[in-house]
Amino acid sequence: MKIAVTGTAGQVVTSLIERGMAAGHEVIAIGRPDLDLADPASVVRALSATAPDAIVSAAAYTAVDKAESESDLAFAVNGAGPGAVAQAAKALGVPLIHISTDYVFDGTLDRPYVESDPTGPTGVYGASKLAGEQAVLDGHDDSAVLRVAWVYSPFGVNFVKTMLRLAGDRDALGVVGDQVGNPTSALAIADAILQVATNMVADSSPELRGIFHMTAPGEASWADFAQAIFAASAARGGPTALVRPIGTADYPTLATRPANSRLNCGLIARVHGVTLPDWHMSLDAVMDRLQPMAL
């Protein structure tokens, strides 16, 4: 299967290239200058030239706090951009998988969110991603939107690598303990994307399309996650630090983070047969690759 993916350097894109090649798929990553989500004409042109069997819309504007002062750019990339990707996929007659986020919710529920729960983003980033979801679903019936959360991997900048880097300089770290979510490995996300793409290429059933939540089983606060990272690091002879849970109010940010980022993934398990590994298992796999590498 030939898969075209938007972007060239993100955690999901890099993981998809690696896992796709390992599974015998051809994954073509396309980014700037050939494909610029802020330039819809370039999106259609670049994707059409690849003649893929499926398209993965993974590139995004992800600077959550900076988006508060760059709303036009965030909406151009995260809103209009995926709409152009949907236009290209429709013209080519191929399935589209679009990666979205838990930030489309306000985080006030006291249970994991299901796909039918009302959305209510609290910042520009979440609002722009919600606009992208709608643009994809309006623009191409043969689309699946996958909402992911708390993504980490051996690649790029992410929470795991930040914690390990900070532990190299500090004995103790204050980490937010009143936000809860599902830590999810980009490597596991990539494997799941490949399964969803395979299903959609082989079967045109409407139930395989639409919005799905796709995170790892198991929940944690950021402080819990940090403690697990340091435990795994210590077991491998790597850096560690004492974690001191703090409140969201003690770590102010420009954009409001959801207090509850937990996503219920029962639908994608039933419809696509996709269940990601527990996050503890995936964390161990990532830590094995990060150490003894320089972080």
Side-chain angles (χ1 to χ4, degrees), residues 213 265-275:
H213 291 170
C265 301
L267 180 61
I268 198 167
R270 293 192 301 273
V271 173
H272 278 283
V274 167
T275 302

Side-chain angles (χ1 to χ4, degrees), residues 218-241:
E219 63 184 57
S221 68
W222 288 112
D224 295 332
F225 191 18
Q227 289 171 338
I229 292 165
F230 292 138
S233 179
R236 293 163 174 78
T240 186

Side-chain angles (χ1 to χ4, degrees), residues 152-154 160-161 164 228-236 238-239 280-293 295:
Y152 66 93
S153 72
V160 173
K161 296 178 74 173
L164 293 172
I229 292 165
F230 292 138
S233 179
R236 293 163 174 78
H280 295 88
M281 183 184 304
S282 293
L283 176 61
D284 278 336
V286 169
M287 292 297 295
D288 284 341
R289 293 182 57 168
L290 286 176
Q291 296 178 322
M293 291 170 55
L295 302 172

Side-chain angles (χ1 to χ4, degrees), residues 126-174:
S128 69
K129 290 294 289 182
L130 182 60
E133 289 187 3
Q134 197 60 55
V136 164
L137 296 174
D138 287 345
H140 190 28
D141 291 340
D142 193 3
S143 296
V145 172
L146 308 181
R147 291 174 178 155
V148 302
W150 291 29
V151 180
Y152 66 93
S153 72
F155 316 115
V157 178
N158 58 72
F159 185 77
V160 173
K161 296 178 74 173
T162 297
M163 289 296 102
L164 293 172
R165 176 177 55 81
L166 292 175
D169 301 323
R170 307 180 194 178
D171 295 328
L173 295 170

Side-chain angles (χ1 to χ4, degrees), residues 62-207:
T62 58
V64 175
D65 290 316
K66 198 173 182 180
E68 295 300 306
S69 61
E70 293 187 344
S71 60
D72 288 347
L73 179 58
F75 273 93
V77 173
N78 291 345
V85 177
Q87 180 183 343
K90 184 174 183 178
L92 291 167
V94 300
L96 170 63
I97 296 170
H98 176 64
I99 309 303
S100 191
T101 174
D102 60 293
Y103 276 72
V104 300
F105 297 114
D106 64 11
T108 60
L109 279 187
D110 59 359
R111 57 163 174 77
Y113 282 89
V114 297
E115 289 82 355
S116 58
D117 283 324
T119 53
T122 60
V124 171
Y125 169 71
S128 69
K129 290 294 289 182
L130 182 60
E133 289 187 3
Q134 197 60 55
V136 164
L137 296 174
D138 287 345
H140 190 28
D141 291 340
D142 193 3
S143 296
V145 172
L146 308 181
R147 291 174 178 155
V148 302
W150 291 29
V151 180
Y152 66 93
S153 72
F155 316 115
V157 178
N158 58 72
F159 185 77
V160 173
K161 296 178 74 173
T162 297
M163 289 296 102
L164 293 172
R165 176 177 55 81
L166 292 175
D169 301 323
R170 307 180 194 178
D171 295 328
L173 295 170
V175 183
V176 172
D178 57 359
Q179 296 173 17
V180 182
N182 307 103
T184 306
S185 165
L187 295 168
I189 290 172
D191 289 337
I193 289 172
L194 293 171
Q195 185 172 343
V196 172
T198 299
N199 292 347
M200 294 177 71
V201 168
D203 187 342
S204 61
S205 301
E207 56 264 28

Side-chain angles (χ1 to χ4, degrees), residues 16-86:
L16 191 58
I17 293 170
E18 177 184 299
R19 306 301 282 183
M21 290 178 62
H25 301 295
E26 181 182 0
V27 179
I28 305 169
I30 313 169
R32 292 179 294 183
D34 297 319
L35 183 151
D36 184 348
L37 290 180
D39 177 10
S42 76
V43 174
V44 176
R45 184 170 57 249
L47 289 172
S48 297
T50 65
D53 298 305
I55 295 172
V56 177
S57 169
Y61 179 107
T62 58
V64 175
D65 290 316
K66 198 173 182 180
E68 295 300 306
S69 61
E70 293 187 344
S71 60
D72 288 347
L73 179 58
F75 273 93
V77 173
N78 291 345
V85 177

